[in-house]
């Protein structure tokens, strides 16, 4: 196997390993950690949206004007993943809750700061290994591998955490999660080391001023950035609160959460290749419009979810959301690439992700008081008995409908190679 083909395979493996680490620091796993620390649902939602705020830190990547980034990517990745490991260590010492919570918040913010500073450069490097007309299919294949591996992994980790938590020994579960992250970090580092960095694969403008001009002077890039902003606002007004919704209000075990995740992952695997092929044939803009329609349907299901029907409706939501993300995650990056010359792709991606990240975090911060108010009012809103997560799902549904209409105005073209 030639070095480029081998490196594309390693890229797929790298993405899978990174995904496995991400699973343990998000969603119901993050909710389990914050519950152990006594952190409220609203603050947990804000912490979940740190993932979005972290994207703002991608603006710092604009200051990195080097063409060789492999060593920097490796170092930043190791530090970032070890900080994620610390999230499972912080609850262990018998320290005052205030100290543990402060340390937890500081570590998660720092972890995402480091992760996002290097992300645009890492993406530009690794995507330079892929042929332009194969980006859709390759991204789909990469995602399918991550999801298949993630299914078994999620079920195993969820069952393990449930077992120790039910036995009153959650500390052992946290230690095993930390050890798992450490092992994955070692493997991830080895894979990055073995991946080639083409001599001409990462074409980048060395001048920051010209890079900024190319981004802010490109109306299509600004249009894509607004799409990022709207979608993140729709996602982060609701999804950060779903982790605690499953664990507390709906009463799900982590094993059940894992089963739902597996079902939705299977659905995402089944459609990922279709979305990739459709995008390569028709355009990422046309593909992502259909994805947003499906995402809106998913949010609609959560509007009516309750303990009586939660297993069914939340599973339907998860499947819809997974199917939609099978195209959305690929499209948002590739749309940016479609409308940006190669030399400025990393800069354009950093800008669009940054403004989107800020949008997501501000949205969660704005919605959190509403969530707290509804819960403190005995789960009543405007005189109606309702869960806070149902109310924010209404907002997410409306915003996703707006995004669907907006993306319909995009021109179908690939300008990235011009």
């Amino acid at each position: 196997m030639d070095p480029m083909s081998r490196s594309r395979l390693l890229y797929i493996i790298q993405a899978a390993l990174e995904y496995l680490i991400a699973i343990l620091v998000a969603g119901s796993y993050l909710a389990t950690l914050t519950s152990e620390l006594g952190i409220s649902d609203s603050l947990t939602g804000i912490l979940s949206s740190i993932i979005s705020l972290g994207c703002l830190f991608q603006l710092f990547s604009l200051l990195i004007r080097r063409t060789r980034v492999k060593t920097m990517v490796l170092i930043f990745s190791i530090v970032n993943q070890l900080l994620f490991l610390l999230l499972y260590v912080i609850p262990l010492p018998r320290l005052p809750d205030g100290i543990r919570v402060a340390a937890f918040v500081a570590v998660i913010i720092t972890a995402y700061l480091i992760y996002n500073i290097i992300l645009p450069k890492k993406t530009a490097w690794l995507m330079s290994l892929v042929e332009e007309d194969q980006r859709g299919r390759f991204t789909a294949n990469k995602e399918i591998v991550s999801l298949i591996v993630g299914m078994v992994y999620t079920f195993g980790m969820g069952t393990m955490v449930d077992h120790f938590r039910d036995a009153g020994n959650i500390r052992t579960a946290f230690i095993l999660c930390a050890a798992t992250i450490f092992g994955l970090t070692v493997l991830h580092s080895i894979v990055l080391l073995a991946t080639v960095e083409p001599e001409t694969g990462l074409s980048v403008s060395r001048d920051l001023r010209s890079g900024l001009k190319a981004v802010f002077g490109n109306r299509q890039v600004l249009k894509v950035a607004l799409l990022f902003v709207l979608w993140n606002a729709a996602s982060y007004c609701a999804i950060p609160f779903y982790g605690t919704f499953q664990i507390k209000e709906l009463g799900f075990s982590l094993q059940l959460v894992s089963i739902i995740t597996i079902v939705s992952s299977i659905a995402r695997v089944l459609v990922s290749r279709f979305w990739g092929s459709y995008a390569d044939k028709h355009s990422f803009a046309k593909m992502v419009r259909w994805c947003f329609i499906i995402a809106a349907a998913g949010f609609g299901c959560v509007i009516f979810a309750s303990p009586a029907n939660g297993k069914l409706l939340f599973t339907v939501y998860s499947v819809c959301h997974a199917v939609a993300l099978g195209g959305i995650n690929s499209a948002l990056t590739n749309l940016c690439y479609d409308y940006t010359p190669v030399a400025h792709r990393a800069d354009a991606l950093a800008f669009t992700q940054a403004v989107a990240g800020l949008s997501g975090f501000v949205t969660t911060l704005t919605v959190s008081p509403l969530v707290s108010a509804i819960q403190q009012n005995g789960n009543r809103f405007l005189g109606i008995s309702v869960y806070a997560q149902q109310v924010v799902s209404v907002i997410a549904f409306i915003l996703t409908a707006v995004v669907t209409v907006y993306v319909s105005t995009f021109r179908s073209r690939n300008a990235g190679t011009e």
Side-chain angles (χ1 to χ4, degrees):
M1 185 182 296
D2 68 88
M4 290 293 286
S5 297
R6 185 182 69 249
S7 291
R8 284 192 289 271
L9 176 60
L10 289 172
Y11 181 15
I12 291 174
I13 296 172
Q14 176 272 331
L17 293 170
E18 195 169 66
Y19 174 64
L20 297 183
I21 294 174
I23 287 174
L24 290 183
V25 292
S28 55
Y29 290 92
L30 179 61
T32 300
L33 281 167
T34 57
S35 294
E36 181 67 17
L37 292 170
I39 296 175
S40 67
D41 287 7
S42 59
L43 181 54
T44 298
I46 293 173
L47 289 177
S48 296
S49 69
I50 291 293
I51 299 172
S52 174
L53 178 64
C55 294
L56 181 64
F57 302 139
Q58 291 186 26
L59 288 176
F60 289 109
S61 73
L62 295 173
L63 302 176
I64 304 173
R65 312 309 299 177
R66 55 195 299 175
T67 58
R68 310 292 288 180
V69 298
K70 179 176 177 177
T71 300
M72 182 178 290
V73 167
L74 177 62
I75 294 172
F76 275 55
S77 295
I78 291 173
V79 174
N80 152 249
Q81 290 160 3
L82 290 179
L83 286 171
F84 280 151
L85 182 156
L86 277 180
L87 295 178
Y88 279 94
V89 175
I90 289 170
L92 300 179
R94 302 297 185 184
L95 298 173
D97 288 344
I99 294 176
R100 294 196 300 173
V101 170
F104 190 89
V105 172
V107 168
I108 197 170
I109 291 176
T110 305
Y112 280 110
L113 166 65
I114 293 171
Y115 173 81
N116 282 283
I117 286 176
I118 203 63
L119 181 60
K121 303 303 180 183
K122 179 177 67 177
T123 302
W125 159 33
L126 296 175
M127 285 299 289
S128 73
L129 302 167
V130 184
E131 297 295 332
E132 287 292 317
D133 61 350
Q134 296 293 315
R135 283 190 282 121
R137 282 181 283 269
F138 178 84
T139 303
N141 290 336
K142 175 167 63 73
E143 187 169 85
I144 287 171
V145 171
S146 294
L147 291 170
I148 291 175
V149 174
M151 289 180 208
V152 179
Y153 172 84
T154 300
F155 182 78
M157 296 301 294
T159 301
M160 181 273 292
V161 173
D162 280 342
H163 169 74
F164 285 106
R165 182 176 58 188
D166 293 344
N169 193 13
I170 192 67
R171 291 165 63 85
T172 298
F174 288 170
I175 291 171
L176 291 174
C177 286
T180 299
I181 292 176
F182 180 77
L184 291 171
T185 298
V186 173
L187 292 174
H188 183 264
S189 301
I190 293 172
V191 169
L192 280 180
L193 277 172
T195 304
V196 300
E197 185 176 18
E199 289 290 340
T200 58
L202 189 60
S203 177
V204 61
S205 168
R206 303 298 293 270
D207 179 28
L208 176 60
R209 182 178 298 178
S210 66
L212 293 174
K213 183 178 180 180
V215 171
F216 291 103
N218 187 330
R219 291 184 178 180
Q220 292 299 323
V221 170
L222 297 180
K223 195 171 183 179
V224 171
L226 180 56
L227 179 67
F228 275 60
V229 166
L230 292 172
W231 168 243
N232 266 31
S235 297
Y236 280 87
C237 75
I239 294 176
F241 305 101
Y242 286 172
T244 56
F245 189 44
Q246 294 174 80
I247 299 298
K248 295 181 179 180
E249 285 85 354
L250 298 182
F252 292 176
S253 66
L254 277 180
Q255 187 178 64
L256 177 58
V257 172
S258 299
I259 292 172
I260 294 174
T261 300
I262 289 172
V263 171
S264 59
S265 294
I266 291 173
R268 187 164 170 175
V269 165
L270 294 176
V271 302
S272 287
R273 282 284 296 179
F274 167 75
W275 286 138
S277 298
Y278 186 91
D280 285 338
K281 183 177 180 180
H282 297 285
S283 81
F284 285 99
K286 287 185 177 180
M287 180 266 282
V288 79
R289 180 178 59 197
W290 288 108
C291 294
F292 287 140
I293 292 172
I294 296 170
F299 288 128
C301 289
V302 185
I303 294 173
F304 303 100
S306 67
N309 60 25
K311 292 180 181 178
L312 173 61
L313 287 185
F314 206 88
T315 299
V316 174
Y317 152 75
S318 296
V319 170
C320 287
H321 192 68
V323 168
L325 286 185
I328 291 172
N329 285 351
S330 170
L332 293 181
T333 297
N334 281 296
L335 274 174
C336 187
Y337 277 30
D338 278 353
Y339 296 113
T340 310
V342 174
H344 300 291
R345 282 180 172 176
D347 294 338
L349 183 61
F351 168 70
T352 51
Q353 293 276 28
V355 295
L358 181 60
S359 167
F361 182 75
V362 170
T363 300
T364 302
L365 205 60
T366 302
V367 170
S368 289
L370 174 63
V371 171
S372 295
I374 293 173
Q375 291 178 335
Q376 291 169 7
N377 194 38
N379 289 322
R380 295 189 67 81
F381 179 67
L382 300 179
I384 302 172
S385 181
V386 65
Y387 290 115
Q389 290 87 346
Q390 293 174 313
V391 175
V392 295
S393 294
V394 172
I395 301 173
F397 176 86
I398 295 171
L399 288 175
T400 305
V402 172
V403 176
T404 304
V405 173
Y406 176 66
V407 78
S408 300
T409 66
F410 276 56
R411 290 183 292 119
S412 299
R413 62 180 292 230
N414 187 330
T417 57
E418 292 182 357

